[in-house]
Amino acid sequence: MQKVIVTGGTGYIGSHTVVEFQNEGFEVVVVDNLSNSNIEVLDGIERITGKKPVFYKVDVANSAELEKVFAEHSDSIAVIHFAAYKAVGDSVKNPLKYYHNNVEGLINVLSKMIKYAIPNLVFSSSCTVYGQPEVLPVTEQSPVVKPESPYGNTKKINEEIIVDTLASTDFLKAISLRYFNPIGAHPSSEIGELPIGVPDNLLPYITQTAIGLRDELSVFGNDYNTPDGTAIRDYIYVCDLAKAHVVAVKRLLKSKEQYEIFNIGTGKGSSVLEIIQAFERSTGVKLNYKIVARRPGDVEKVWADTSKANKVLGWKAESSLDQTVKSAWEWERKVRER
Ligand code: UD1
């Protein structure tokens, strides 16, 4: 059985990815410090797949702790590296926390991969590296800019670190997946997004408002240059996104390319108001919301050209927006019942 190490494997995207790897017959070793996730996620994964992954409560920024994992699992064929802080606002207030954790985490992962000769890396990057693109949809060739936030900048820096490191070895290969906006939850509602405190992201804010945990959703700006004035993003179903990691590893195993980048989105942009409509339509629940000022640092519109992933990886987003949004609601309801 082929083995993969998944850092950040109890997190939102990580946990859905662990499920997809296990469903595809891989053995999975999860590394997570549980700083933004919960050990019970492993039970959810077990209920879905019938198998609990091997788990290490280890911080990737701690080289000595990480060493133990790699030493014990040096027969792994790939590392899927999610473990990172991701709160944009927090990163503006605490930049060094982000540079320390996200950049050092990757450096440690790469160092262990070299030491133990684990040849393949899938890195979780973000469309934030494109900033506000001049031409839409964005392709992998679109210019990369310095992102607005330190969080975003760690993604850009980490992509650069990967390129430089690959150039210095003859066996290491990597794929960076630039995610657009992941939303939704596994159809079983056994795992999903569980933000700690007040959510920053749109979908958890919507579902928490609908369930009564928040009074009202604030829509950040309706004066953008978009058809309804609200900002546009490419919202991708987290299970579709998770599957992209499995095909990325399969690609690494058979292709000769040392480094490739893929946009992982749906190829379609939706405005904030369209997401609210999709939520109300698919769930039958009416949402309280008001229009407020723009949120500093937000871009106006971004969506992906996914033709490279479609063609080279044979991967395509499958879930409809309504299904995806509804899955987030079903997860929210299940969480609050507990
Ligand atoms: C942000 C990050 C992105 C990161 C993603 C997931 C930037 C510029 N973006 O994406 O890199 O991968 O989070 O953590 O760094 N909105 C509201 N009301 C709310 C919340 C959001 O109107 O309460 C709007 C936003 O203004 C935006 C859209 O919903 O137009 C999506 O926001 P959000 O879910 O926070 O994701 P991004 O900001 O696109």
Side-chain angles (χ1 to χ4, degrees):
M1 202 184 251
Q2 288 178 315
K3 189 192 281 183
V4 295
I5 296 174
V6 179
T7 74
T10 52
Y12 173 44
I13 306 174
S15 58
H16 288 83
T17 302
V18 171
V19 165
E20 297 303 330
F21 273 101
Q22 293 199 163
N23 282 345
E24 287 284 312
F26 287 83
E27 185 177 348
V28 179
V29 176
V30 169
V31 180
D32 203 301
N33 67 356
L34 300 177
S35 65
N36 194 25
S37 61
N38 200 306
I39 189 80
E40 273 114 59
V41 169
L42 298 174
D43 301 327
I45 293 171
E46 186 179 17
R47 285 193 292 273
I48 298 169
T49 63
K51 195 173 171 205
K52 205 177 233 181
V54 177
F55 176 70
Y56 290 82
K57 185 175 182 300
V58 158
D59 187 338
V60 291
N62 183 324
S63 175
E65 284 183 8
L66 195 63
E67 175 80 23
K68 188 168 171 274
V69 180
F70 277 72
E72 285 174 18
H73 299 282
S74 58
D75 54 339
S76 301
I77 51 136
V79 180
I80 328 301
H81 180 49
F82 293 103
Y85 294 145
K86 62 173 184 180
V88 175
D90 183 37
S91 80
V92 175
K93 288 189 205 110
N94 301 295
L96 293 180
K97 174 176 149 190
Y98 279 70
Y99 288 117
H100 172 67
N101 186 61
N102 295 7
V103 178
E104 256 175 68
L106 175 74
I107 292 171
N108 286 339
V109 165
L110 285 168
S111 308
K112 310 299 171 197
M113 289 177 72
I114 292 170
K115 179 165 178 188
Y116 291 98
I118 299 176
N120 301 303
L121 172 71
V122 180
F123 174 62
S124 90
S125 190
S126 166
C127 69
T128 191
V129 301
Y130 298 119
Q132 175 58 68
E134 275 173 28
V135 182
L136 288 164
V138 272
T139 72
E140 292 80 358
Q141 275 77 49
S142 297
V144 164
V145 299
K146 180 174 180 296
E148 285 270 341
S149 68
Y151 152 76
N153 206 30
T154 65
K155 295 294 179 189
K156 176 173 178 283
I157 291 169
N158 279 357
E159 285 195 9
E160 290 165 356
I161 290 174
I162 291 168
V163 170
D164 290 347
T165 307
L166 294 187
S168 74
T169 78
D170 54 8
F171 75 96
L172 215 53
K173 291 158 77 181
I175 285 179
S176 288
L177 299 179
R178 290 180 179 160
Y179 313 149
F180 284 67
N181 288 54
I183 59 168
H186 192 268
S188 63
S189 298
E190 293 288 358
I191 53 172
E193 189 171 12
L194 201 52
I196 294 172
V198 181
D200 290 319
N201 298 118
L202 180 61
L203 247 291
Y205 210 105
I206 287 179
T207 56
Q208 289 196 8
T209 304
I211 206 107
L213 273 181
R214 317 267 156 222
D215 291 340
E216 190 168 48
L217 169 77
S218 294
V219 174
F220 298 136
N222 68 347
D223 57 352
Y224 285 109
N225 182 23
T226 61
D228 66 21
T230 63
I232 294 179
R233 299 286 183 275
D234 184 335
Y235 294 91
I236 162 91
Y237 183 41
V238 67
C239 293
D240 286 338
L241 171 62
K243 288 178 184 144
H245 297 79
V246 181
V247 291
V249 166
K250 290 181 175 171
R251 167 88 181 157
L252 285 165
L253 291 174
K254 66 170 196 277
S255 115
K256 291 205 161 42
E257 299 292 334
Q258 203 185 14
Y259 182 59
E260 288 176 296
I261 297 170
F262 296 97
N263 284 342
I264 303 294
T266 66
K268 188 177 173 302
S270 305
S271 72
V272 178
L273 290 181
E274 283 171 336
I275 294 294
I276 294 172
Q277 284 154 13
F279 178 81
E280 292 186 334
R281 189 169 57 228
S282 64
T283 65
V285 179
K286 192 113 190 65
L287 194 77
N288 262 345
Y289 69 89
K290 63 175 177 204
I291 309 288
V292 302
R294 292 181 182 193
R295 181 171 68 176
D298 272 349
V299 300
E300 183 166 89
K301 48 190 165 195
V302 60
W303 62 92
D305 179 325
T306 62
S307 44
K308 186 177 174 195
N310 302 158
K311 212 161 77 204
V312 178
L313 294 178
W315 171 92
K316 197 169 175 304
E318 306 277 351
S319 180
S320 74
L321 183 62
D322 281 28
Q323 276 173 335
T324 304
V325 168
K326 190 158 184 250
S327 73
W329 173 236
E330 279 162 2
W331 159 249
E332 183 73 57
R333 288 208 300 179
K334 181 141 178 197
V335 168
R336 302 305 153 191
E337 272 169 17
R338 281 181 192 162

